[in-house]
Amino acid sequence: MNLTLIAAMAQNRVIGKDNDLIWHFPEDLKRFKKLTSGHAIIMGRKTYESLGRPLPNRKNIVITRQADYKAEGCLMASNMESAIELAKEDNQPFIVGGAEIYKQALPFAKTIELTLIKADYEGDTYFPEFDPEVWKLARGEKKEADDKHAHPFEFQTYKKIKL
Protein backbone atom coordinates (compact mmCIF):
# COMPACT_ATOMS: atom_id res chain seq x y z
CA MET A 1 0.00 0.00 0.00
CA ASN A 2 1.29 3.43 -0.97
CA LEU A 3 -0.33 5.66 1.67
CA THR A 4 -0.09 9.22 0.30
CA LEU A 5 -0.50 12.56 2.03
CA ILE A 6 -1.96 15.22 -0.29
CA ALA A 7 -2.08 18.90 0.63
CA ALA A 8 -1.67 22.47 -0.55
CA MET A 9 0.67 24.48 1.63
CA ALA A 10 1.97 28.04 1.72
CA GLN A 11 5.72 28.69 2.06
CA ASN A 12 5.24 29.21 5.79
CA ARG A 13 3.56 25.74 6.07
CA VAL A 14 0.03 27.21 6.48
CA ILE A 15 -2.71 24.93 5.12
CA GLY A 16 -5.83 26.60 6.51
CA LYS A 17 -7.56 29.09 8.75
CA ASP A 18 -10.78 28.74 10.75
CA ASN A 19 -11.28 25.18 9.40
CA ASP A 20 -11.28 26.38 5.80
CA LEU A 21 -8.97 26.80 2.83
CA ILE A 22 -7.48 30.27 2.45
CA TRP A 23 -6.87 30.26 -1.29
CA HIS A 24 -8.56 29.10 -4.47
CA PHE A 25 -6.12 27.59 -6.96
CA PRO A 26 -8.10 25.80 -9.71
CA GLU A 27 -5.05 23.84 -10.94
CA ASP A 28 -4.51 22.47 -7.44
CA LEU A 29 -8.17 21.44 -7.15
CA LYS A 30 -8.00 19.69 -10.54
CA ARG A 31 -4.86 17.84 -9.49
CA PHE A 32 -6.45 16.81 -6.19
CA LYS A 33 -9.50 15.44 -8.00
CA LYS A 34 -7.41 13.63 -10.63
CA LEU A 35 -5.10 11.99 -8.09
CA THR A 36 -7.73 11.01 -5.49
CA SER A 37 -10.63 9.93 -7.73
CA GLY A 38 -11.31 6.22 -7.40
CA HIS A 39 -9.29 5.96 -4.19
CA ALA A 40 -9.97 5.95 -0.46
CA ILE A 41 -9.52 9.31 1.24
CA ILE A 42 -8.90 9.54 4.97
CA MET A 43 -9.66 12.73 6.85
CA GLY A 44 -10.39 14.06 10.30
CA ARG A 45 -13.88 15.02 11.40
CA LYS A 46 -13.21 18.77 11.14
CA THR A 47 -11.94 18.39 7.57
CA TYR A 48 -15.02 16.37 6.70
CA GLU A 49 -17.27 19.05 8.24
CA SER A 50 -15.45 21.78 6.26
CA LEU A 51 -16.21 19.83 3.05
CA GLY A 52 -19.83 19.38 4.11
CA ARG A 53 -20.33 16.14 2.17
CA PRO A 54 -18.51 13.01 1.07
CA LEU A 55 -16.40 13.59 -2.02
CA PRO A 56 -17.79 11.68 -5.02
CA ASN A 57 -16.05 8.70 -6.63
CA ARG A 58 -13.98 8.08 -3.49
CA LYS A 59 -14.26 5.90 -0.41
CA ASN A 60 -14.57 8.56 2.33
CA ILE A 61 -13.14 7.56 5.72
CA VAL A 62 -13.52 9.94 8.66
CA ILE A 63 -11.41 9.65 11.82
CA THR A 64 -13.16 10.85 14.96
CA ARG A 65 -13.01 10.17 18.68
CA GLN A 66 -16.78 10.74 18.88
CA ALA A 67 -18.13 7.17 19.09
CA ASP A 68 -21.65 8.16 17.98
CA TYR A 69 -20.56 10.44 15.10
CA LYS A 70 -22.25 9.65 11.78
CA ALA A 71 -21.61 11.04 8.32
CA GLU A 72 -23.81 9.70 5.56
CA GLY A 73 -21.82 8.05 2.79
CA CYS A 74 -18.67 7.79 4.94
CA LEU A 75 -16.98 5.08 6.95
CA MET A 76 -15.98 5.95 10.53
CA ALA A 77 -12.68 5.14 12.21
CA SER A 78 -11.55 5.87 15.75
CA ASN A 79 -7.82 6.14 14.91
CA MET A 80 -5.29 6.15 12.08
CA GLU A 81 -4.62 2.42 12.21
CA SER A 82 -8.31 1.50 11.86
CA ALA A 83 -8.72 4.07 9.05
CA ILE A 84 -5.81 2.50 7.16
CA GLU A 85 -7.38 -0.93 7.74
CA LEU A 86 -10.64 0.32 6.18
CA ALA A 87 -8.63 1.43 3.13
CA LYS A 88 -6.57 -1.77 2.82
CA GLU A 89 -8.11 -2.81 -0.53
CA ASP A 90 -6.85 0.42 -2.14
CA ASN A 91 -3.28 0.40 -3.45
CA GLN A 92 -3.00 4.18 -2.91
CA PRO A 93 -5.26 5.69 -0.25
CA PHE A 94 -4.86 9.41 0.40
CA ILE A 95 -4.69 11.38 3.64
CA VAL A 96 -6.49 14.69 2.95
CA GLY A 97 -6.27 16.48 6.30
CA GLY A 98 -6.29 18.16 8.66
CA ALA A 99 -3.02 18.98 10.40
CA GLU A 100 -3.27 16.42 13.21
CA ILE A 101 -4.30 13.66 10.77
CA TYR A 102 -1.33 14.49 8.51
CA LYS A 103 0.97 14.32 11.53
CA GLN A 104 -0.44 10.95 12.64
CA ALA A 105 -0.20 9.52 9.10
CA LEU A 106 3.35 10.66 8.33
CA PRO A 107 5.05 7.54 9.81
CA PHE A 108 2.79 5.26 7.70
CA ALA A 109 3.06 7.24 4.44
CA LYS A 110 5.31 6.46 1.49
CA THR A 111 4.47 9.51 -0.68
CA ILE A 112 3.60 13.17 -0.17
CA GLU A 113 1.83 15.06 -2.97
CA LEU A 114 2.25 18.72 -2.14
CA THR A 115 1.18 21.91 -3.85
CA LEU A 116 3.60 24.53 -2.55
CA ILE A 117 2.22 28.03 -2.94
CA LYS A 118 5.09 30.51 -3.23
CA ALA A 119 3.71 33.00 -0.72
CA ASP A 120 3.18 33.28 3.02
CA TYR A 121 -0.38 33.21 4.31
CA GLU A 122 -1.88 33.97 7.67
CA GLY A 123 -3.49 30.89 9.14
CA ASP A 124 -3.96 28.69 12.18
CA THR A 125 -3.34 25.25 10.69
CA TYR A 126 0.04 23.98 9.48
CA PHE A 127 1.38 21.04 7.51
CA PRO A 128 3.77 19.03 9.69
CA GLU A 129 7.53 19.26 9.26
CA PHE A 130 9.01 16.25 7.50
CA ASP A 131 12.61 15.12 7.70
CA PRO A 132 14.69 15.76 4.55
CA GLU A 133 16.82 12.72 5.51
CA VAL A 134 13.69 10.56 5.19
CA TRP A 135 11.83 12.32 2.35
CA LYS A 136 13.33 13.24 -1.02
CA LEU A 137 11.78 15.36 -3.75
CA ALA A 138 11.10 12.96 -6.63
CA ARG A 139 9.33 15.39 -8.96
CA GLY A 140 8.55 19.09 -9.14
CA GLU A 141 6.48 21.04 -11.64
CA LYS A 142 6.62 24.84 -11.41
CA LYS A 143 3.59 26.95 -12.33
CA GLU A 144 3.48 30.71 -12.80
CA ALA A 145 0.93 33.08 -11.30
CA ASP A 146 -1.86 34.02 -13.71
CA ASP A 147 -5.37 35.46 -13.70
CA LYS A 148 -6.68 32.39 -11.77
CA HIS A 149 -3.69 31.84 -9.47
CA ALA A 150 -2.57 34.73 -7.26
CA HIS A 151 0.97 33.37 -6.74
CA PRO A 152 3.41 31.04 -8.42
CA PHE A 153 3.19 27.48 -7.10
CA GLU A 154 4.80 24.10 -7.56
CA PHE A 155 3.42 20.57 -7.63
CA GLN A 156 5.88 18.45 -5.63
CA THR A 157 6.04 14.70 -5.12
CA TYR A 158 8.13 13.42 -2.21
CA LYS A 159 9.05 9.77 -1.71
CA LYS A 160 10.11 8.19 1.56
CA ILE A 161 13.65 6.90 1.15
CA LYS A 162 14.13 5.56 4.69
CA LEU A 163 11.47 3.23 6.00
Side-chain angles (χ1 to χ4, degrees), residues 31 47 56 116 126 156:
R31 180 174 185 253
T47 297
L116 178 62
Y126 298 84
Q156 300 177 331

Side-chain angles (χ1 to χ4, degrees), residues 113-132:
E113 293 289 353
L114 204 55
T115 300
L116 178 62
I117 297 169
K118 306 288 183 134
D120 288 340
Y121 279 82
E122 196 176 304
D124 57 16
T125 311
Y126 298 84
F127 195 78
E129 297 277 344
F130 52 95
D131 186 344

Side-chain angles (χ1 to χ4, degrees), residues 1-4 90-94 108-112 159:
M1 175 189 286
N2 179 15
L3 185 66
T4 301
D90 190 346
N91 65 338
Q92 189 175 21
F94 286 85
F108 302 101
K110 292 183 182 169
T111 305
I112 300 172
K159 293 288 185 180

Side-chain angles (χ1 to χ4, degrees), residues 25 27 115-118 142-143 149 151-155:
F25 277 53
E27 286 290 317
T115 300
L116 178 62
I117 297 169
K118 306 288 183 134
K142 292 180 175 30
K143 302 282 189 171
H149 303 88
H151 303 284
F153 58 102
E154 185 175 352
F155 295 141

Side-chain angles (χ1 to χ4, degrees), residues 1-159:
M1 175 189 286
N2 179 15
L3 185 66
T4 301
L5 277 61
I6 187 166
M9 171 180 92
Q11 293 180 143
N12 58 344
R13 306 198 79 73
V14 166
I15 58 173
K17 184 176 181 180
D18 299 327
N19 203 31
D20 206 356
L21 294 176
I22 303 169
W23 48 75
H24 181 77
F25 277 53
E27 286 290 317
D28 173 56
L29 297 172
K30 276 200 296 201
R31 180 174 185 253
F32 177 90
K33 184 177 181 179
K34 178 182 173 213
L35 290 175
T36 63
S37 284
H39 291 283
I41 57 172
I42 299 170
M43 69 195 92
R45 176 188 53 81
K46 289 180 188 174
T47 297
Y48 170 74
E49 289 175 353
S50 75
L51 295 172
R53 63 182 172 80
L55 294 181
N57 195 29
R58 297 165 190 90
K59 181 182 202 176
N60 290 253
I61 301 167
V62 177
I63 299 175
T64 179
R65 289 187 285 269
Q66 297 176 16
D68 60 344
Y69 189 82
K70 301 271 186 275
E72 194 173 323
C74 298
L75 299 172
M76 297 296 125
S78 59
N79 57 46
M80 183 58 62
E81 290 82 356
S82 59
I84 292 170
E85 179 66 20
L86 288 170
K88 70 181 178 191
E89 290 153 20
D90 190 346
N91 65 338
Q92 189 175 21
F94 286 85
I95 304 294
V96 301
E100 185 58 32
I101 300 301
Y102 287 131
K103 188 176 174 184
Q104 290 175 23
L106 205 51
F108 302 101
K110 292 183 182 169
T111 305
I112 300 172
E113 293 289 353
L114 204 55
T115 300
L116 178 62
I117 297 169
K118 306 288 183 134
D120 288 340
Y121 279 82
E122 196 176 304
D124 57 16
T125 311
Y126 298 84
F127 195 78
E129 297 277 344
F130 52 95
D131 186 344
E133 295 297 314
V134 175
W135 295 93
K136 289 295 178 207
L137 182 63
R139 186 171 56 250
E141 183 185 348
K142 292 180 175 30
K143 302 282 189 171
E144 295 303 318
D146 59 26
D147 58 336
K148 293 181 181 171
H149 303 88
H151 303 284
F153 58 102
E154 185 175 352
F155 295 141
Q156 300 177 331
T157 300
Y158 288 87
K159 293 288 185 180

